[in-house]
Amino acid sequence: MEKRLTMLVVDNVEVNRASLRSAFIDVYEIVEAEDGLAAMQMLHEKQIDIVILDLFMPNLDGAGVLKKMKADPKLRNIPVVVKTAVDEETEVEMLEAGADDFIFSPCDPTLLQKRVKNIVHKYTLEHELLQKQVEEARHTSKIREAFMIDMSHELRNPINGILEITELSREIEKDPVKVREAFDKIAMHGEYLLSLLNDILDISMIDKEEITFRDKLFGLSNVVAVISEQFFTQCKKKDISFSFEVADIVHEYLIGDEVRIKQIWINLLSNALKYTEPGGSIKTGFSQQIIDDKKVLLEISVEDSGCGIAEASMEKIWRFFERDETAGATNEGGFGLGLPITRSIVEMMGGSISAESEEGKGSRFLVKIPLKFGTPPAQQHKNFQTMKALIVGDEEIACEYYKAILNRLGIHFDVSWSAKETLNLLKLAYLRGEGYDLCFVNWNIQGDSGAALVHSIRKIFDRDTLVIISPSYASDLMESEMKKAGVDYILRKPVFQSTIYNLMIEVCKKPFSEKMQDEPSYDFMGKHVLVVEDNAINAEVLLGCLEHVNLSCDWVKNGKVAVEAYTKMGGDYYSGIFMDITMPVMDGYAAAREIREIEKKSGEKSVPIIAVTANTFAADIIKVYQSGMNAHITKPFNAAALYHIAEEFLSD
Ligand code: ADP
């Protein structure tokens, strides 16, 4: 049975107490006091749930009791109904002093019962809510505490790994294979450390609502290239099949924060990879829905056949620091940060994220983000009407996709569905003197081998007649097989209109013997650059890369010395400055501002300053440009990106 609440009736007149007693005896346990002092004593001795308080009493009056109760933290939250026979001014006074209600006696008992019931109900609800909040806060604090402990352990693992390898390096320095393995391991530990720290940074920025988003034109093909490259290789390593599905994308160029979109996608795919066993599969893809004449809704899906999520945990996975502690997911390292961060970012971008999952069967995550679409670069309108292509199809949908792209680019094409049909079409066209310029061969044509088909084509036609292109998720091994068979270009899937466009430009531009894609080579002989970096290891890597392409480098360790070096050598000496941001004495922003000031005063030409920074958030990048720098490259950088920037800014 539910415990009855206790009501304290405080009144010096017995008749009044009796009438209140009879009005409430059915619902409440009633206790009584004849004056204010007795009431205070009772409040301290008993658990009282509501007080009906008369105003005029000897010893301590009602106003005095109310004042004492509100001043006492233990009694402050007990509801009080003040009862008297006087004017309105006192009513306002009492309500201001903290009374919950004020009634004039004599009062209709039914009305009184109703008012008391409402007050008690309100208090009960508030109490329950407060209780819940306290419990939640306790829960979060416990989870945070556990998280801090787990995180400290987790940070120690890669650091220990790196230290052990460093220790070992003295013994293995003469064995190049082992040295290479050691470097791979250091890189792996370093990347993991970086991802943990990035997550922690993101959480604190989400907490402080400090995340800002870039609004810049970007091509979806770039995002997809990075993602498919990374996950195709990782899935292959874990023996998981990986496929990418693209619906016909009308707006390939969008305006938004490319880095954050990649982050969202990579988080979901990393989870899929983590929670799927070898032999399983991961499918990802995206599509667009037109919202209006300016915006599209970009939909990204990530589906896996992994361990799935227990129904009871479906809500939990979106909360910071919480994980699905049931079944398969428990064996995998993780901190329950990725999904809540992802959700916060998606929602800050005005989008939504949802999940469907069945334990033991797999999960599917769907992200929807509204984005403005941009105008494609002008050359995308170029037409290739003189070109003729043959598509060797394997499945209807993929084929339709190519047809749509080739149509938009104005390329004429035919389609064949088997190796035999392909060879026939090629021969016929050749005999008529209207040979194809391009042949898109799928490596896995139904019932045939792509390799055998390409071999046969190459046997019949010399290399100059036809360019063979094979779209695939190719590993290095497969790529070399394809090239050996005679494939000229390998297109990474999924293929975009811009991918084919760029390829066409290449095909039309180069004499055929040069058509194989080469690594560009760089040489900056005769140029000087200034490297500003306080961290010796970072500086060593950067200097190594720059010297490799014959740049002569001066190295200084903070912004102040950089400004001095720049001033001493004169404006024309350096072709560029590579500037770290966070440094002692003077940071990169301040140094760049000073250099720009000096240039302004002297009228010298502006030296390109390239920020080399680990701060990748939009706000940091904006600051880079605001301080007068020309470009930025993020740490850890890859050499190709560095050379690309160098080529753009250091060449006259
Ligand atoms: P974690 O670092 O633990 O993976 P996340 O926030 O990314 O953190 O995910 C929260 C939890 O959601 C995970 O611990 C896991 O229990 C569950 N989860 C997320 N994605 C998947 C998935 N694809 N398959 C199964 N469980 C998943």
Side-chain angles (χ1 to χ4, degrees), residues 49 63 76 105 154 173 218 235 402 440 454 510 547 645:
D49 299 300
R76 188 178 293 157
S105 63
E154 196 68 16
E173 65 189 332
F218 69 95
C235 285
Y402 282 112
F440 288 88
V454 175
K510 284 192 180 181
E547 280 162 3
I645 287 237

Side-chain angles (χ1 to χ4, degrees), residues 271 274-275 304 308-309 317 323-324 329 334-340 363:
N271 274 350
K274 187 155 68 169
Y275 298 114
D304 65 63
I309 304 164
I317 57 168
R323 317 185 63 226
D324 173 13
F335 285 98
L337 297 182
L339 284 183
S363 314

Side-chain angles (χ1 to χ4, degrees), residues 227 244 261-269 284 286 300:
I227 286 173
F244 217 122
I261 291 172
K262 269 190 225 151
Q263 182 187 1
I264 294 165
W265 209 336
I266 288 174
N267 270 351
L268 296 178
L269 279 167
T284 188
F286 61 95
I300 299 173

Side-chain angles (χ1 to χ4, degrees), residues 531-547 553 555-557 580 635 637:
V531 171
V532 193
E533 168 65 82
D534 63 321
N535 180 299
I537 297 177
N538 288 349
E540 200 183 318
V541 175
L542 186 55
L543 290 167
C545 287
L546 295 174
E547 280 162 3
C553 305
W555 171 34
V556 293
K557 293 184 182 171
D580 183 24
K635 280 192 275 197
F637 57 82

